[in-house]
Amino acid sequence: MENYKKIIEDIYLDVKNVNDIGKVANYIPELAFVDSNSFGINITTINKESFGIGDFNTKFSIQSVSKVLSLTLAYKFEGAKLWERVDVEPSGNPFNSLLQLEADLGKPRNPFINSGAIVICDVLLSHLENPKEDFLEFCREVSNIPTLEYNEKVAQSEKSSGFRNTALCNFIKSFGNIKNDVDAVLDFYFHMCSLEMTCKELSEIVLYLADDNFTTHKGKRILTMSQAKRVNAILLTCGFYDESGEFAFRVGLPGKSGVGGGIVAIHPDKYCIAVWSPKLNVKGNSYKGMLFLEKFTSKTASSIF
Ligand code: GLU
């Protein structure tokens, strides 16, 4: 950890002063109220050693990063059958695109673009009695953080402006790949995306993807080793919208970004690292977040390649 700590401090100062060419997401009106200069980092190793710097203890909207958790829960319920409903291929298209769905007959390319995550929400709705409460409970159990919450304002803000997601959900339903009521699926999806966490919490909640021996405080495993391998593979190939190749090229770790400016990256058998900086590049990924992680894996020589 001492080695990581010094490197993180140095890169933090370096990247903090870089001219940020990104822009805060405002298509969900509530997200635009964030302090755009926020910048935080936290690393947690599989031995539970942790180090944070900057705004690492400030909660932010994790948005699509929550899709790692929803996929995990759906995978636990369905096992390999899940892949009949959603594929595991990079899309090469923007996260909210409707384009490929027509040709693919309503089967989304992967669980991390919006269409795929909406199908995953539908799967969860078929399994959970009280979807919003039960999913939150799952996140609290995995992280051992009982204070995790949705941000109702963000959820409502997205509900009132989520025209593309509404279109996606209806379109997929027309192919028969949404089984539940469209409004119920979307309400769950918007709440899931509104989850708030700090960088510290985010780096802790995905430890089950880094540590083969991970169990919750109640002694439960989250995924089998084979399942965790597969989720990491989808994160590497599909976790960064149509910039997943670029992230693998520059950073070299499985990970997931969200339009709230958060990124979490996983080094299997070593650590999880979360970065938050709200200004996004044109592809929707945190500009400084990607820059920080590129420098971090280069200086520590700790990518998976
Ligand atoms: N709730 C956002 C949306 O559906 C999530 C997008 C993201 O973070 O990629 O547009």
Side-chain angles (χ1 to χ4, degrees):
M1 179 54 84
E2 279 315 301
N3 180 30
Y4 289 150
K5 202 175 146 188
K6 174 84 182 79
I7 291 174
I8 289 172
E9 282 168 346
D10 289 349
I11 307 174
Y12 170 78
L13 291 176
D14 177 16
V15 174
K16 195 176 164 56
N17 295 322
V18 163
N19 177 31
D20 196 334
I21 56 168
K23 287 201 171 58
V24 172
N26 59 7
Y27 75 100
I28 300 172
E30 196 63 31
L31 291 185
F33 295 123
V34 73
D35 175 357
S36 62
N37 293 318
S38 308
F39 186 33
I41 294 126
N42 199 95
I43 188 168
T44 303
T45 64
I46 61 167
N47 309 322
K48 307 266 165 57
E49 286 181 281
S50 176
F51 172 70
I53 193 164
D55 301 310
F56 71 100
N57 250 333
T58 307
K59 286 197 184 282
F60 61 94
S61 193
I62 70 165
Q63 289 295 318
S64 278
V65 185
S66 63
K67 294 171 184 174
V68 184
L69 294 152
S70 56
L71 170 65
T72 298
L73 187 55
Y75 200 11
K76 277 174 81 67
F77 282 128
E78 295 271 322
K81 256 172 65 86
L82 188 62
W83 315 125
E84 292 169 15
R85 303 274 307 271
V86 54
D87 217 330
V88 295
E89 291 298 336
S91 76
N93 273 316
F95 66 101
N96 56 6
S97 171
L98 281 119
L99 215 61
Q100 281 165 339
L101 273 176
E102 175 111 58
D104 293 344
L105 304 178
K107 182 174 179 179
R109 285 282 166 113
N110 68 66
F112 295 139
I113 48 175
N114 288 12
S115 54
I118 288 170
V119 168
I120 295 291
C121 281
D122 182 60
V123 169
L124 288 177
L125 236 61
S126 301
H127 283 280
L128 301 173
E129 213 166 302
N130 302 301
K132 287 188 272 188
E133 292 79 1
D134 296 350
F135 177 68
L136 193 57
E137 200 39 57
F138 171 71
C139 294
R140 289 174 176 170
E141 191 185 332
V142 175
S143 59
N144 197 18
I145 304 168
T147 51
L148 291 185
E149 290 287 356
Y150 301 120
N151 181 321
E152 198 55 40
K153 269 193 185 167
V154 172
Q156 294 309 327
S157 178
E158 181 163 12
K159 200 174 205 171
S160 61
S161 58
F163 305 112
R164 283 192 84 91
N165 287 323
T166 306
L168 281 169
C169 196
N170 279 294
F171 197 43
I172 302 168
K173 190 158 175 93
S174 77
F175 289 101
N177 198 14
I178 292 286
K179 314 288 180 198
N180 296 280
D181 174 65
V182 163
D183 290 338
V185 175
L186 287 168
D187 182 60
F188 179 42
Y189 173 80
F190 294 141
H191 277 84
M192 180 192 88
C193 290
S194 81
L195 257 181
E196 288 190 324
M197 275 178 223
T198 66
C199 287
K200 183 167 189 301
E201 292 167 339
L202 196 51
S203 68
E204 290 169 359
I205 202 169
V206 291
L207 275 175
Y208 67 94
L209 291 172
D211 180 3
D212 288 339
N213 299 313
F214 181 90
T215 54
T216 65
H217 62 290
K218 291 182 184 161
K220 282 202 241 160
R221 268 197 88 91
I222 305 299
L223 293 174
T224 65
M225 267 168 71
S226 155
Q227 288 175 325
K229 175 189 85 173
R230 290 173 204 278
V231 171
N232 276 320
I234 310 171
L235 285 169
L236 183 77
T237 52
C238 310
F240 294 84
Y241 317 119
D242 45 342
E243 205 174 29
S244 300
E246 178 81 9
F247 190 85
F249 182 74
R250 284 173 51 190
V251 179
L253 293 176
K256 184 74 200 87
S257 61
V259 294
I263 298 180
V264 71
I266 295 137
H267 194 311
D269 301 327
K270 285 197 173 143
Y271 61 75
C272 299
I273 186 163
V275 185
W276 172 50
S277 168
K279 290 191 190 169
L280 312 177
N281 67 18
V282 286
K283 301 280 184 168
N285 294 310
S286 171
Y287 175 75
K288 283 192 175 174
M290 266 180 85
L291 189 60
F292 176 88
L293 289 170
E294 179 179 12
K295 288 175 186 275
F296 178 73
T297 54
S298 303
K299 284 208 177 160
T300 54
S302 67
S303 90
I304 62 167
F305 299 109

